Amino acid sequence: MKVFQCLSQSRGRGCLRILMLLLGVTTLSGCQVLQSIDKGLYDVAEAVTETDRVTGQRALSTANRNQQIALGNQYVDKLLQDEQKQGRKVDSALDTRQYRRLVRIFDRIHPISHLRQERWKPVLIDRDSFNAFTTGGTYIVVHLGLMKQLNDAEVAAVVGHEIAHTVANHVAERQTHQQLSGLTSSSAVRRKGYQAAFTHEREREADRIGILYSALAGFDPYAASRIWQRQYQQQGNARSLFAHDHPVNAERSAEAKAVADKVKQYYRAGKVNPQAHALLDNNTLWQKRSNRHAESAGEGGGVAAILSTAVGVMAEHQQAKQEEYRQAQQAQFVRSVQQSMRLEEQRWLNDRSWQTRWHYTGNLKLHSVVMGIIARDSQGKTYRFVGHHKGVLTPGQRFNVSFMLNKNMTLNQLERMQTQYYLDDALPVR
Ligand SMILES: [Zn+2]
């Protein structure tokens, strides 16, 4: 659907025109010439695209895999050198038990992934934060803090998600996209919100692929959904605070659950699905296209290749713009509702938690209301706490929200900080 929408819009035609001009096809005619033009187009399509490993469709990319690996690994090698210089341990030397655990989980997910033929290596680094990443090469870097917070199935979900970023070529896609943004006249591409939205769509895709990997490798496919549900309880959605390059926690959890509902049929607890490899190409989430161009080079295949690439690029562009708009609308809504939240009272319940009383003076019924507080210490470091209001909030209603301190913070510390309440999230009842 989106594809057709996209082509009918002037920007879509503009993009095709640019491609045609670049290729110099405007002044030529005749069957032979057309054939060679088509061959030329096919070659160009081959040069600037690659076949998506997951769907079999063409995706824009100018980097080849070996270059990607060299570049991506260079980054991680440098990181590891820096860790050593700063006296930080990595892998087994850092935490033997956690590193073994990471390797054991990795060794079940990677062999059923689309990149199983590549030699990959998980790396454990000394950070407390909840994070893991890939750089397009053959490393997956995991923070020790993340390992400590997650159970095996949850770590598997993260490992699957990270491999999926490389499988779906996200690192190279972003680079190509950034190069292209210099060529297009569209100012949208350069906006922060657009860039976040572009990344946002890739995060959703990596979640989907990662959850399928989990199911095929015998890890509970609902684990991803649970991670984001817990993050939501602890950190809310921060919808009003900034442009999101990941889906906000509640939506991410719900989407992960919907994907798990679809792939749970492939899940055999603790066992790799014997059909895993076949299922990668053909499953309830996607069917890989095998015959990607019915016509071959010189017989219309070139035009088809360029068209399908241009259409794909424009669809992605359109999708990112829609997501940027959706996020901006929602953030604007939450900020406007925040004007009608009046703090009436706050009191400590014990030395770890406190309660606030609010009066909602707006005129829309709301649900999924999350109140937040930002605390800033003397070094400028910020901490966020959230409290959830359950059920529907009606106009004029007074309501209580409780907050709890993080494990490693004391009441004394909080009282010495600058604090400010904000509305973290609210959705209108429709
Ligand atoms: Zn990601």
Side-chain angles (χ1 to χ4, degrees):
M1 278 301 284
K2 267 190 195 127
V3 164
F4 292 110
Q5 243 174 32
C6 189
L7 267 184
S8 68
Q9 284 169 7
S10 61
R11 209 184 296 278
R13 287 201 299 271
C15 181
L16 281 175
R17 206 161 50 227
I18 290 167
L19 280 169
M20 296 301 192
L21 283 173
L22 280 173
L23 301 166
V25 295
T26 45
T27 52
L28 300 168
S29 62
C31 186
Q32 280 255 286
V33 181
L34 274 177
Q35 246 180 33
S36 80
I37 290 169
D38 192 66
K39 177 80 172 51
L41 284 171
Y42 192 87
D43 292 346
V44 168
E46 283 288 307
V48 299
T49 64
E50 65 158 40
T51 309
D52 188 300
R53 292 180 188 91
V54 178
T55 61
Q57 287 169 342
R58 274 183 186 275
L60 193 66
S61 167
T62 51
N64 82 27
R65 182 67 190 132
N66 287 336
Q67 278 170 339
Q68 272 174 27
I69 291 176
L71 266 176
N73 287 359
Q74 197 178 12
Y75 179 90
V76 179
D77 289 334
K78 168 86 171 54
L79 172 92
L80 291 174
Q81 280 167 15
D82 290 348
E83 293 292 289
Q84 206 178 12
K85 272 186 212 151
Q86 288 158 22
R88 288 201 186 102
K89 292 175 177 164
V90 299
D91 299 344
S92 260
L94 171 61
D95 188 323
T96 310
R97 194 181 67 86
Q98 291 291 9
Y99 187 63
R100 280 199 188 139
R101 195 176 150 236
L102 172 61
V103 169
R104 179 167 45 79
I105 296 166
F106 176 85
D107 282 348
R108 254 173 65 194
I109 295 281
H110 179 248
I112 58 100
S113 78
H114 293 82
L115 288 175
R116 59 185 172 274
Q117 76 287 0
E118 292 181 2
R119 283 171 69 96
W120 278 51
K121 182 182 182 303
V123 172
L124 184 67
I125 61 169
D126 192 6
R127 297 287 187 289
D128 284 340
S129 37
F130 185 85
N131 199 14
F133 61 90
T134 39
T135 54
T138 52
Y139 286 114
I140 162 167
V141 183
V142 179
H143 290 195
L144 182 58
L146 182 136
M147 291 301 294
K148 287 180 175 169
Q149 289 179 48
L150 303 184
N151 66 29
D152 285 6
E154 291 165 352
V155 172
V158 172
V159 167
H161 172 98
E162 292 305 328
I163 296 176
H165 271 311
T166 304
V167 164
N169 202 27
H170 289 161
V171 177
E173 250 178 41
R174 191 167 58 226
Q175 284 158 357
T176 308
H177 193 76
Q178 275 160 359
Q179 287 159 3
L180 269 186
S181 63
L183 299 175
T184 79
S185 56
S186 168
S187 61
V189 204
R190 289 189 288 271
R191 283 197 303 267
K192 247 196 184 140
Y194 175 89
Q195 294 289 354
F198 185 82
T199 307
H200 183 278
E201 294 312 300
R202 266 119 214 99
E203 290 303 326
R204 296 178 62 195
E205 188 181 21
D207 277 351
R208 281 156 52 87
I209 299 170
I211 293 166
L212 177 72
Y213 287 167
S214 274
L216 295 177
F219 289 105
D220 181 358
Y222 288 93
S225 169
R226 281 197 296 270
I227 297 175
W228 305 115
Q229 179 58 27
R230 212 159 53 224
Q231 294 288 100
Y232 173 61
Q233 284 308 319
Q234 292 165 2
Q235 302 183 350
N237 283 333
R239 206 189 297 271
S240 61
L241 295 182
F242 39 78
H244 288 268
D245 52 12
H246 289 61
V248 298
N249 292 323
E251 286 171 11
R252 197 169 182 186
S253 176
E255 285 183 15
K257 186 181 171 298
V259 175
D261 285 342
K262 288 188 185 156
V263 303
K264 68 174 179 213
Q265 57 185 301
Y266 310 132
Y267 168 55
R268 316 274 177 273
K271 291 199 188 79
V272 173
N273 184 307
Q275 260 81 55
H277 292 167
L279 283 165
L280 281 186
D281 288 345
N282 200 336
N283 57 68
T284 52
L285 301 176
W286 61 75
Q287 268 98 48
K288 185 166 178 169
R289 281 204 214 163
S290 50
N291 189 6
R292 67 180 196 206
H293 305 301
E295 325 286 345
S296 57
E299 294 163 2
V303 170
I306 283 286
L307 265 173
S308 74
T309 305
V311 166
V313 169
M314 295 321 296
E316 282 176 355
H317 175 60
Q318 210 61 25
Q319 203 181 28
K321 281 212 304 186
Q322 277 166 9
E323 174 56 26
E324 180 194 15
Y325 179 75
R326 186 186 77 101
Q327 285 194 18
Q329 291 283 305
Q330 289 183 335
Q332 177 59 34
F333 175 78
V334 177
R335 284 194 289 263
S336 74
V337 171
Q338 181 171 298
Q339 309 299 318
S340 39
M341 296 293 182
R342 309 256 178 278
L343 178 66
E344 293 191 331
E345 198 190 317
Q346 52 178 344
R347 66 188 177 91
W348 285 93
L349 297 171
N350 52 50
D351 61 357
R352 300 222 59 81
S353 59
W354 72 100
Q355 195 177 60
T356 52
R357 185 163 178 78
W358 298 84
H359 184 199
Y360 170 51
T361 59
N363 49 21
L364 278 174
K365 271 193 187 179
L366 304 173
H367 70 99
S368 304
V369 173
V370 185
M371 301 302 302
I373 183 169
I374 298 178
R376 202 167 273 111
D377 69 13
S378 52
Q379 274 100 53
K381 192 170 178 208
T382 58
Y383 305 83
R384 283 198 307 118
F385 306 91
V386 298
H388 295 253
H389 173 264
K390 294 200 174 65
V392 171
L393 200 59
T394 53
Q397 190 179 331
R398 285 183 163 79
F399 62 102
N400 295 331
V401 173
S402 307
F403 294 86
M404 206 158 91
L405 285 176
N406 300 339
K407 259 188 259 142
N408 27 21
M409 192 186 280
T410 63
L411 164 57
N412 261 336
Q413 285 171 315
L414 181 69
E415 281 181 335
R416 275 184 273 124
M417 293 182 190
Q418 271 184 355
T419 55
Q420 193 187 357
Y421 284 103
Y422 71 98
L423 179 61
D424 181 273
D425 201 9
L427 297 169
V429 173
R430 298 194 194 278

